[in-house]
Amino acid sequence: FSRPADTTGVATMALEVPMARKDLYQVACITGRSLGLLPPSDKKKTMKVLVGSDNGIVTCFRIKKGEVLEEFKTGNLDYPVQKLLVGGPVDKRDKIYFTSAQTIRGVNRKGKECFKFATEGAEALKGLCVDDTRIWTSGEYMFNHYLDCKDAGYYMSKDRINDLLVLPIVNLVDKNPVLGCQDRYLRVLDSNKLFMEAFVDGPILTLAPYMSKSFDDVLRGNKDKEVLYGTDNGLVGQMLITSEVAKPGWTIGNVRGLGGVSAMKSFDLTQNGQADIIVGRDDGELQVFSLDEANQPQQVFT
């Protein structure tokens, strides 16, 4: 890596992996978090792209020899697809779940509907997590937990819930909901009750788990769950969560006045054995950060 001049408030490095924009496929307007990747099947070794649009249609396509091949489209619904994810058994991951208004739908890799659950809530579903027979959802203010499509509890947030994820925090068996809220709080629930909360320096728009551990972390037996958060005022931060406390880690400032963080993912783009942090902003900016030897973020692409 080489080090160009710093213009972002965080040290920068050059990314050796070439990246460039390429338009693949055009769909209707997209305002939800409704992009996913379907793992390869046994017969076809290429991943498939899933995208849900505001007309309620989920489209699946793949690339073969540079050509876009459409696999399926679901029927037109009356409400936008707000959240889409890929679920199912860990060794298969062949089910596609998505929300439209107050309903959760599931289709298989051929686009055939295999699951439909109409919740009884009044709010449109913006957050969704699925694990076997357990379902966690979030609307504007209401969080709900379902077991076998039956109500297993709820939590009313003090302010808008902008994102939802689940992680095993209190113990290694159960999963705890983590809420990113408009009032600048990250909230962890246990049995549908507030377990802990931590204040950050901006309204939280998006959450993402950072699962990659360094070799030193493994040797020390580090049990912190690393949660990444992005805010409306453009900050990207790390929260270290244990069964006892949530403590802030590093924070990437926003000295350039970039847009809010609307999407975030960790993936090893630099192929150095540790996941990088990919950040998408609502002004169209895309950034990639890699962690250095001191576990501090360095920008490698923008």
Side-chain angles (χ1 to χ4, degrees):
F1 290 116
S2 60
R3 286 186 180 268
D6 177 18
T7 60
T8 63
V10 64
T12 58
M13 300 185 293
L15 181 62
E16 294 180 343
V17 180
M19 296 180 66
R21 170 176 168 167
K22 183 177 181 180
D23 295 330
L24 298 176
Y25 193 85
Q26 186 171 356
V27 297
C29 180
I30 303 168
T31 57
R33 291 187 171 100
S34 53
L35 181 67
L37 288 175
L38 189 63
S41 64
D42 294 335
K43 296 180 180 179
K44 298 177 181 179
K45 301 302 182 182
T46 57
M47 300 184 82
K48 299 175 183 178
V49 181
L50 301 161
V51 57
S53 52
D54 284 3
N55 58 6
I57 294 176
V58 173
T59 303
C60 176
F61 66 90
R62 61 187 174 96
I63 309 296
K64 182 178 181 180
K65 297 180 180 179
E67 182 182 356
V68 176
L69 301 178
E70 185 179 293
E71 294 286 309
F72 67 80
K73 275 187 177 182
T74 61
N76 196 327
L77 301 174
D78 294 330
Y79 298 95
V81 176
Q82 289 292 332
K83 180 70 175 182
L84 180 148
L85 57 86
V86 176
V90 176
D91 58 338
K92 294 184 70 174
R93 309 290 290 175
D94 58 351
K95 300 294 188 295
I96 302 128
Y97 297 98
F98 59 97
T99 67
S100 179
Q102 293 84 22
T103 300
I104 304 166
R105 287 177 165 85
V107 299
N108 61 22
R109 62 171 55 247
K110 294 183 178 180
K112 183 177 180 180
E113 186 169 279
C114 59
F115 178 81
K116 183 177 179 181
F117 174 44
T119 65
E120 297 179 353
E123 298 178 343
L125 302 179
K126 297 168 59 180
L128 174 68
C129 297
V130 179
D131 181 19
D132 196 15
T133 60
R134 294 181 292 178
I135 299 175
W136 299 266
T137 67
S138 63
E140 285 287 317
Y141 294 88
M142 185 69 72
F143 161 83
N144 287 90
H145 177 209
Y146 301 96
L147 182 62
D148 292 320
C149 294
K150 296 180 180 179
D151 189 10
Y154 69 91
Y155 172 79
M156 175 70 78
S157 178
K158 297 178 182 178
D159 206 338
R160 288 202 311 273
I161 302 171
N162 292 326
D163 205 2
L164 161 71
L165 62 85
V166 294
L167 291 172
I169 293 173
V170 177
N171 57 62
L172 297 177
V173 178
D174 298 320
K175 292 189 176 182
N176 299 92
V178 182
L179 311 179
C181 300
Q182 183 68 22
D183 61 358
R184 305 187 176 208
Y185 275 93
L186 181 149
R187 294 184 166 92
V188 180
L189 307 183
D190 184 28
S191 299
N192 308 307
K193 296 181 180 179
L194 183 63
F195 182 68
M196 67 175 72
E197 60 185 3
F199 184 80
V200 303
D201 290 328
I204 301 174
L205 292 185
T206 184
L207 298 170
Y210 184 77
M211 307 304 292
S212 178
K213 294 289 185 182
S214 69
F215 184 65
D216 288 341
D217 286 336
V218 174
L219 289 179
R220 290 195 302 264
N222 193 337
K223 297 181 180 180
D224 291 352
K225 298 294 187 299
E226 297 182 54
V227 174
L228 306 175
Y229 64 87
T231 68
D232 184 49
N233 55 349
L235 304 179
V236 176
Q238 174 198 50
M239 190 68 67
L240 305 173
I241 306 176
T242 68
S243 60
E244 299 177 351
V245 67
K247 55 186 177 182
W250 48 258
T251 303
I252 301 173
N254 188 20
V255 297
R256 289 171 54 195
L258 300 175
V261 179
S262 56
M264 200 160 35
K265 186 75 173 179
S266 59
F267 183 79
D268 187 10
L269 277 178
T270 54
Q271 300 178 1
N272 63 356
Q274 183 160 306
D276 304 298
I277 301 157
I278 306 166
V279 176
R281 299 180 181 272
D282 58 18
D283 59 0
E285 185 90 5
L286 176 68
Q287 297 172 295
V288 179
F289 297 89
S290 184
L291 300 184
D292 62 17
E293 295 178 355
N295 206 39
Q296 295 299 307
Q298 317 291 336
Q299 181 173 286
V300 295
F301 176 83
T302 185

